[in-house]
Amino acid sequence: MEVERKCGQAAGRGGTPRIAGVDLFCGAGGLTYGLVKAGVDVRAGVDLDPECAYPYTANNPGRFLEQDVRALSGRDLASLWRGADVSLLAGCAPCQPFSTYSQARDRRSNRDWGMLLEFGRLVAEAQPDLITMENVPQLAGDDVFMSFLDGLKGYSTWHGVVDCAEYGVPQQRRRFVLIASRLGPISLLLPVELGYRRATVWSAIGRMPPLVQGSADPHDPIHAAAGMSALNLRRIRASSPGGSWREWPPALRAACHRRESGAGYGAVYGRMEWDRPAPTMTTLCHGFGNGRFGHPQQDRAISLREAAILQTFPKRYKFVRPGERVKFTTVGRLIGNAVPPRLGEVIGRSLIAHATAVAERRAEPGVVVDREAVTPD
Ligand SMILES: C[S@@+](CC[C@H](N)C(=O)[O-])C[C@H]1O[C@@H](n2cnc3c(N)ncnc32)[C@H](O)[C@@H]1O
């Protein structure tokens, strides 16, 4: 494929270039959902976790390939992009090796460590027009990212730490984002360019039906709150929004809190505040004892549905088949691991704006295409 022909043709039709995407490490489809909402034709998601198959396909138009990314080749990807104006490879490799919780461990012993380099291998083999990836901010300073970046020969890149709250995600979530293009200089659109405003816990989940701990909404099995021990119930009743275990009577404190080093546990066991963004949703965000995941008013942790909404999944995103038992650990993992769909949408809109601008520029009379930037057929 060749840049001038691809983008020039699309602009000649008066339309936006059609971007076909493949989402590696697709999980339950957070990134895919956002890209699709922006207008990207995501044709397939790849993940080796079979639990992702149902949510991915029930909410997104593309195929789900239950496969190890290490077994994919550039040829496989090329066949998925066939017929598109512009090809996109998205890949949010597992972030556990780079998270702050893993800093003390030897990252190289984690089998996920090489997944970013697998993504780099597929970029080299398939030479997509566009690339995007998301990960935890710690990745930016890691050698593995430097190696990945070195491999992006011929690409213009933009990368930086994005505060998702600035794009209207009702959550404190800072993520490292990279977008890259073989078509020309690229950057992520700013919140003001996209018209997104900050959101709060109230604006996201303030009108959800009330729940008692250990129960589920009869109309939505995912709007389910984990059961709490008698001790944790007494603790949450003693917690105010934004407070911590420090306001509890000594008898309610855990042993780790009583130790001097317990000072580091200030964020654990707390209620969210209505008028602020939620803390970062994690894979364990359905447990009161796992972070500031207490409901601002009701004596329970947030429900799985509330966690999904705080991640900007739409209210009806399906995570379990009708009638299937809801497993908190599975659904919590899918939700906590996801790229917020809103961030996916921001990335998608940025890629589409970029491809459209390139197409329009190339369609101008007298524009000479830089042969260096042209992809071989
Ligand atoms: C951070 S999550 C991705 C979340 C997803 N992008 C979303 O927005 O919902 C990383 C995913 O990588 C998957 N994974 C890990 N190793 C893999 C491999 N070798 N091949 C395919 N998928 C893998 C995990 O099962 C997990 O779903």
Side-chain angles (χ1 to χ4, degrees):
M1 287 196 286
E2 189 243 81
V3 173
E4 183 183 34
R5 174 161 52 75
K6 284 185 297 178
C7 292
Q9 271 182 350
R13 286 196 302 269
T16 309
R18 287 165 306 164
I19 303 181
V22 176
D23 185 2
L24 306 179
F25 314 104
C26 65
L31 175 63
T32 289
Y33 190 88
L35 291 171
V36 170
K37 195 165 176 206
V40 175
D41 173 15
V42 182
R43 296 188 175 167
V46 183
D47 202 295
L48 49 60
D49 178 358
E51 300 283 2
C52 304
Y54 177 75
Y56 192 84
T57 51
N59 301 283
N60 298 292
R63 296 159 59 190
F64 176 75
L65 305 177
E66 188 186 318
Q67 200 173 325
D68 191 324
V69 163
R70 287 171 291 192
L72 271 186
S73 71
R75 261 171 205 275
D76 299 329
L77 295 174
S79 70
L80 290 164
W81 289 320
R82 194 161 294 139
D85 299 315
V86 175
S87 53
L88 163 69
L89 189 62
C92 300
C95 57
Q96 281 80 2
F98 307 108
S99 74
T100 35
Y101 304 108
S102 323
Q103 295 296 302
R105 298 207 310 261
D106 179 6
R107 295 195 193 106
R108 280 157 210 267
S109 67
N110 189 314
R111 75 179 167 85
D112 292 335
W113 184 87
M115 286 303 125
L116 186 63
L117 298 180
E118 280 297 312
F119 182 49
R121 171 185 66 79
L122 286 168
V123 169
E125 282 179 33
Q127 298 280 296
D129 298 309
L130 305 175
I131 301 168
T132 185
M133 56 152 280
E134 181 257 28
N135 216 295
V136 292
Q138 291 79 4
L139 174 65
D142 199 286
D143 292 349
V144 77
F145 176 65
M146 297 305 157
S147 309
F148 174 77
L149 210 51
D150 280 350
L152 298 185
K153 302 269 184 294
Y155 285 88
S156 300
T157 59
W158 178 96
H159 53 85
V161 175
V162 174
D163 177 358
C164 297
E166 290 186 351
Y167 288 92
V169 177
Q171 192 190 143
Q172 296 159 20
R173 194 175 188 97
R174 288 163 55 78
R175 282 296 184 267
F176 181 72
V177 173
L178 173 136
I179 50 179
S181 171
R182 291 168 59 81
L183 311 179
I186 188 166
S187 61
L188 197 73
L189 293 172
L190 299 170
V192 59
E193 293 175 279
L194 294 167
Y196 293 134
R197 292 217 302 267
R198 285 177 175 271
T200 62
V201 172
W202 171 261
S203 66
I205 62 166
R207 291 175 190 83
M208 291 295 287
L211 273 184
V212 173
Q213 55 86 20
S215 74
D217 184 320
H219 304 294
D220 179 4
I222 296 299
H223 186 36
M228 294 170 81
S229 65
L231 178 60
N232 274 348
L233 255 179
R234 289 174 63 207
R235 286 170 168 163
I236 197 166
R237 284 176 184 145
S239 303
S240 60
S244 79
W245 56 268
R246 290 193 179 84
E247 63 191 349
W248 300 345
L252 295 185
R253 295 185 183 183
C256 61
H257 296 148
R258 284 191 224 111
R259 284 196 299 273
E260 207 180 333
S261 60
Y265 289 86
V268 179
Y269 290 102
R271 285 187 193 268
M272 295 177 188
E273 295 168 272
W274 279 133
D275 56 356
R276 287 173 55 82
T280 307
M281 292 296 111
T282 68
T283 54
L284 297 175
C285 60
H286 45 84
F288 173 60
N290 300 331
R292 194 179 296 285
F293 298 130
H295 188 278
Q297 241 168 331
Q298 298 163 34
D299 295 335
R300 61 173 176 86
I302 54 165
S303 72
L304 291 168
R305 177 63 74 198
E306 288 164 336
I309 294 171
L310 291 166
Q311 276 276 57
T312 67
F313 280 101
K315 284 197 176 69
R316 299 198 187 289
Y317 204 87
K318 300 181 182 100
F319 289 94
V320 291
R321 290 177 180 79
E324 190 177 308
R325 191 172 67 86
V326 175
K327 288 178 268 176
F328 275 82
T329 45
T330 304
V331 179
R333 184 179 75 240
L334 298 177
I335 293 171
N337 269 340
V339 175
R342 168 61 61 85
L343 181 58
E345 195 181 336
V346 169
I347 293 170
R349 287 179 69 180
S350 301
L351 298 173
I352 289 172
H354 164 73
T356 305
V358 171
E360 286 170 356
R361 236 182 3 257
R362 306 232 166 181
E364 283 169 15
V367 171
V368 178
V369 177
D370 171 7
R371 304 306 301 177
E372 289 299 300
V374 167
T375 319
D377 262 324

